[in-house]
Amino acid sequence: MQEPELREPRLHVGLIMDGNGRWATTRGLPRVVGHEAGVGTVRRVARAAPGQGIGTLTLYAFSSDNWRRPAAEVAGLMGLLRLYLAREVEVLRRDGVRLTVIGRRDRLPDGLAEAIAAAEAATRAGTRLHLRIALDYSARDAILAAARAAAPDATREDFARLVTGDGAPEVDLVIRTSGEQRLSDFLLWESAYAELHFTPCAWPDFGEAELAAAMTAFRSRQRRFGGLPAAA
Ligand code: FPP
């Protein structure tokens, strides 16, 4: 697959995929149908990402606080993740996508951690896109675990490696769908200087056009990282 030549480093975009439940209930459907529709968006967005200059895409699939949801919804979500791994890994591998999962693995239903490890191994060589799925993920827990593991004289860079787990770069842009404007314990360390983009579009309705619009808005921002504008 040929991408247009890029004039900027490849970006890290974090996606808070919100609004599946509302999308379904406003249509009189069970919430899990919204999650099923959301998997379609995951496919579309992963396919579109490299062409938008995105090198790393982190998707918030299940937060550590999502265990509070009804057991049937949790089981539905875990089933969808299992199915996604089973069906998609070969396509991801073929498309040069490296898949990794961040978050805890010790509380996942039987066999899922093994399926994740197999998917990670099968896609290890991918360089076109690093697709990260945050599953049983809490940014505060990741920071706490890093603090416990860090040497007393650890540098910021050392600490960042412990927090991210897989060496992913800092986040350039966080997109949240469906109107809420909060970070909900997602990539808090990595997003220190991320731009934020909130869209009313529900995740199942999000697609290539909405991603392109978010990237255009991002490129119009002036990022100063605490400094002054270049011309000042
Ligand atoms: C938030 O919508 C969405 C989630 C908690 C789950 C996201 C999961 C998927 C899109 C499917 C599986 C993911 C992958 C990577 C295959 P919500 O249920 O909180 O929506 P609401 O705010 O309208 O209730």
Side-chain angles (χ1 to χ4, degrees):
M1 229 172 275
Q2 198 73 33
E3 247 79 62
E5 203 177 305
L6 299 169
R7 273 157 284 141
E8 62 183 4
R10 294 196 301 164
L11 300 166
H12 183 177
V13 172
L15 253 161
I16 304 179
M17 312 183 285
D18 199 9
N20 295 346
R22 279 165 284 171
W23 184 92
T25 48
T26 54
R27 287 164 174 77
L29 299 167
R31 291 176 56 84
V32 73
V33 177
H35 297 313
E36 280 166 17
V39 177
T41 309
V42 168
R43 283 198 194 96
R44 290 196 297 278
V45 167
R47 200 166 301 145
Q52 293 294 331
I54 299 168
T56 307
L57 183 67
T58 306
L59 304 175
Y60 206 3
F62 192 88
S63 81
S64 295
D65 290 323
N66 286 152
W67 292 113
R68 296 194 191 130
R69 294 192 177 200
E73 182 171 345
V74 170
L77 276 166
M78 294 297 163
L80 286 173
L81 283 155
R82 200 189 290 271
L83 217 57
Y84 177 81
L85 293 175
R87 287 187 181 157
E88 220 66 17
V89 165
E90 190 39 40
V91 179
L92 296 174
R93 197 193 57 74
R94 204 188 54 213
D95 288 349
V97 179
R98 173 184 168 212
L99 178 87
T100 60
V101 173
I102 55 170
R104 284 180 65 166
R105 297 194 187 182
D106 57 314
R107 302 189 288 194
L108 300 178
D110 278 355
L112 189 50
E114 289 76 10
I116 290 167
E120 288 176 332
T123 62
R124 192 180 295 140
T127 54
R128 215 170 128 257
L129 176 70
H130 183 185
L131 179 64
R132 304 166 85 223
I133 298 179
L135 180 61
D136 194 0
Y137 174 81
S138 154
R140 287 184 296 191
D141 284 351
I143 293 167
L144 186 60
R148 287 182 175 139
D153 59 349
T155 62
R156 262 193 196 185
E157 289 71 27
D158 298 333
F159 195 75
R161 267 190 297 278
L162 291 169
V163 172
T164 62
D166 59 10
E170 288 204 8
V171 177
D172 297 291
L173 171 66
V174 174
I175 302 171
R176 184 170 187 146
T177 59
S178 211
E180 315 295 351
Q181 302 194 0
R182 52 179 173 260
L183 291 176
S184 302
D185 203 11
F186 182 58
L187 304 179
L188 298 180
W189 170 277
E190 300 91 320
S191 297
Y193 276 102
E195 300 292 326
L196 307 178
H197 181 88
F198 301 106
T199 167
C201 183
W203 179 249
D205 293 329
F206 193 86
E208 193 166 354
E210 289 72 22
L211 181 66
M215 298 310 291
T216 300
F218 167 80
R219 290 192 169 94
S220 75
R221 309 260 183 98
Q222 191 179 49
R223 302 185 76 195
R224 296 198 294 275
F225 299 96
L228 293 175

